[in-house]
């Protein structure tokens, strides 16, 4: 008897990427005057897409999500790489109260990013 995963794994590969999108997917401004089209550079924007955080010259796989009890937040294990280095840290992500942005909390740091609207410069 074949397992559930064996039977349905090929079908899951055919799902559109939008169905696999995470709750925080989007492009976010690092500063109020940052360009949304410039991703991964100082003064530009950061992006989250399908479980990957693209920061300033950094890429992190967002793994092992845990819902934070009593909060609209998720704690991730961030498996990051940049400049030939690799490291793992924890980060908590939470939408801003009005839904127009994102809080990203690393040990000792809090970043507030505003969501870029589609077609924004």
């Amino acid at each position: 008897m074949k397992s559930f995963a064996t039977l349905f794994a090929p079908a899951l590969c055919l799902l559109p990427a939008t169905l696999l999108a995470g709750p925080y997917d989007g492009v976010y401004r690092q500063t109020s005057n940052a360009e949304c089209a410039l991703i991964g550079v100082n003064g530009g924007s950061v992006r989250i897409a399908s479980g990957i955080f693209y920061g300033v010259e950094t890429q992190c796989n967002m793994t092992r999500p845990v819902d934070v009890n009593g909060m609209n937040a998720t704690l991730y294990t961030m498996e990051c790489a940049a400049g030939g280095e690799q490291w793992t840290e924890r980060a908590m992500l939470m939408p801003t109260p009005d839904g127009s942005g994102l809080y990203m909390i690393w040990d000792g740091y809090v970043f507030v990013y505003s969501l870029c609207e589609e077609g924004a410069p």
Side-chain angles (χ1 to χ4, degrees), residues 38-88:
L38 295 176
I39 296 171
V41 298
N42 281 324
S45 297
V46 298
R47 179 172 59 134
I48 298 174
S50 300
I52 301 174
F53 170 74
Y54 300 91
V56 178
E57 299 178 10
T58 304
Q59 182 174 315
C60 301
N61 290 317
M62 301 166 60
T63 65
R64 299 173 48 202
V66 176
D67 290 336
V68 178
N69 192 23
M71 298 174 67
N72 182 18
T74 309
L75 185 63
Y76 289 94
T77 298
M78 306 293 273
E79 297 172 352
C80 304
E85 302 275 329
Q86 294 184 351
W87 66 95
T88 300

Side-chain angles (χ1 to χ4, degrees), residues 1-3 5 7 11 18 24 28 42 45 49 52 54 59 62 65 70 73 80 82 98 102 113-114 116 121:
M1 176 176 255
K2 292 186 177 186
S3 71
L7 290 172
T18 55
Y24 303 103
Y28 299 90
N42 281 324
S45 297
I52 301 174
Y54 300 91
Q59 182 174 315
M62 301 166 60
C80 304
D98 63 3
L102 176 73
Y113 301 123
S114 54
C116 290

Side-chain angles (χ1 to χ4, degrees), residues 74-116:
T74 309
L75 185 63
Y76 289 94
T77 298
M78 306 293 273
E79 297 172 352
C80 304
E85 302 275 329
Q86 294 184 351
W87 66 95
T88 300
E89 291 189 34
R90 301 281 277 165
M92 184 171 72
L93 280 69
M94 177 173 34
T96 57
D98 63 3
S100 67
L102 176 73
Y103 296 117
M104 181 177 261
I105 300 104
W106 299 75
D107 188 19
Y109 300 94
V110 176
F111 300 95
V112 182
Y113 301 123
S114 54
L115 184 62
C116 290

